[in-house]
Amino acid sequence: MRFLLDDEQRAFARSLDGMLTAADIPGAARDWAAGEHASGLAVWRRLGEAGVFGLAAPEGYEGVGPLPVETAVAFVELGRHAVPGPAVETVAAVALLSRLAELGVPEPAKRFLPALVGGRVSATLTLTGTGTNTGPLALDADTAGVLLAAGDGEVRLAPGQAGTRASLDPTRRLGRLLPGGELLASGEPADAAARWALDWAALATAAQCLGVGYALLDRTVAYVKGRTQFGVPVGSFQAVKHRLADVLVALEFARPLVFGAAVSLRDGNRAAARVDLAAAKVTAGDAAHHAARAALQLHGALGYTAEYDLSLWLLKARALRGAWGGAGMWRGRVVEGAGGS
């Protein structure tokens, strides 16, 4: 499949790239990891103003969607710039609340969506019974303004979180959601909304992985062009060229799968979207992981230096690969879908 963005989608990507480039995201990410959120929250508000969190919400709730393709465009850029915070979780929560409203439970959407869509607050979300096995651990539960737990036929507003835990990626802190809390929805609408939220989480995570992979490739290419050995740039060595070409091929193979999954989700073909999203999640995660391994090897000892900005993408690639369900779960869905076709 060959997927080409239209002029408006490319302009959206350029505008996000320009905004995030000017925002010193590496500095904001390091602040976030240290528990200082002011700079990251300022970026968050600008993303809300740019419409990123409204892409999964309908116009009736101050959104502009649902627009899965544009969501993929946005999250590629968030991955390229290593934006901290529960961006995937917020979009998934927006999708969940929007789906509840569509299924006849509008009160939670009316209550929470305007602030989420506008970037005034963030959300975190856990899902059980969907195969992700996330349990009660939620990303950035200490900073999110809306704590949602969905599963077992219920959607609840968690009453809080108990402490934080370190993650492989220091910009991704995990909190344990407290049980109980206000019941927002139950029965089939709650289950359907949880499944819909998982679809959007898979899409956004896959797109973010793609952006992380491209960022690692770009930074590694620039590094090997400038580093010399035996009087010539390391990038001129055939083995280095082949290694980076392999990374590019993996990313270029993943890209149409990610955007193809977004098209399936947009067109409402549930069976196709289920398989396409699973394939995109696995392939983009593997491509980002491949890019991280190559970047680490070609940077040598510098790649292991936490103070070097490359580490922000290296750690994020590994963490995102297993977010919202590991590769085994998503590969299983591809196999199940292929068997049913």
Side-chain angles (χ1 to χ4, degrees):
M1 179 187 296
R2 187 182 183 201
F3 190 96
L4 297 176
L5 300 177
D6 62 29
D7 290 342
E8 187 173 347
Q9 290 162 344
R10 288 194 293 268
F12 182 44
R14 287 193 299 270
S15 69
L16 289 177
D17 177 58
M19 181 187 75
L20 294 172
T21 298
D24 182 26
I25 299 301
R30 293 190 183 282
D31 287 347
W32 194 276
E36 300 170 5
H37 304 122
S39 56
L41 292 175
V43 172
W44 198 270
R45 287 189 292 272
R46 288 198 287 273
L47 289 172
E49 293 166 0
V52 170
F53 305 121
L55 295 170
E59 292 182 4
Y61 294 95
E62 302 186 20
V64 294
L67 296 173
V69 175
E70 285 72 12
T71 297
V73 169
F75 275 81
V76 168
E77 295 306 317
L78 267 61
R80 281 187 190 274
H81 291 274
V83 172
V88 171
E89 289 70 18
T90 297
V91 165
V94 168
L96 181 144
L97 295 169
S98 299
R99 185 65 168 160
L100 283 178
E102 183 181 344
L103 295 173
V105 188
E107 291 78 11
K110 293 177 181 178
R111 180 175 168 187
F112 298 115
L113 280 184
L116 291 173
V117 166
R120 295 188 293 278
V121 299
S122 62
T124 195
L125 170 67
T126 63
L127 298 176
T128 57
T130 56
T132 56
N133 297 320
T134 58
L137 290 179
L139 182 69
D140 289 318
D142 57 331
T143 61
V146 179
L147 311 179
L148 296 175
D152 302 321
E154 294 183 343
V155 176
R156 289 186 177 272
L157 181 68
Q161 61 96 28
T164 58
R165 299 185 180 187
S167 168
L168 173 69
D169 175 0
T171 69
R172 295 170 58 84
R173 298 184 314 281
L174 299 173
R176 181 171 292 276
L177 296 188
L178 298 176
E182 180 184 350
L183 181 65
L184 300 179
S186 61
E188 178 53 28
D191 283 336
R195 292 191 296 268
W196 184 243
L198 180 59
D199 286 347
W200 282 79
L203 175 64
T205 302
Q208 202 171 14
C209 284
L210 193 61
V212 168
Y214 279 121
L216 286 165
L217 177 61
D218 291 345
R219 287 174 171 270
T220 305
V221 168
Y223 178 75
V224 298
K225 283 182 177 180
R227 180 186 172 193
T228 60
Q229 197 171 44
F230 308 117
V232 296
V234 171
S236 66
F237 298 164
Q238 199 73 4
V240 172
K241 290 181 180 179
H242 285 174
R243 187 71 189 274
L244 293 174
D246 287 344
V247 171
L248 179 60
V249 168
L251 291 168
E252 289 295 284
F253 183 74
R255 183 180 182 278
L257 292 180
V258 171
F259 285 103
V263 170
S264 294
L265 192 61
R266 180 197 67 190
D267 293 347
N269 187 335
R270 177 74 188 178
R274 179 182 174 88
V275 177
D276 292 347
L277 287 164
K281 176 69 166 61
V282 171
T283 308
D286 286 352
H289 182 66
H290 185 41
R293 287 175 63 88
L296 185 60
Q297 181 182 30
L298 295 176
H299 277 80
L302 185 60
Y304 290 91
T305 306
E307 291 77 14
Y308 189 53
D309 281 349
L310 185 77
S311 65
L312 297 173
W313 286 270
L314 289 174
L315 295 173
K316 195 169 290 294
R318 189 172 174 187
L320 287 173
R321 191 187 191 198
W324 294 98
M329 183 198 92
W330 293 104
R331 286 193 176 96
R333 292 195 173 197
V334 173
V335 173
E336 289 171 8
S341 60

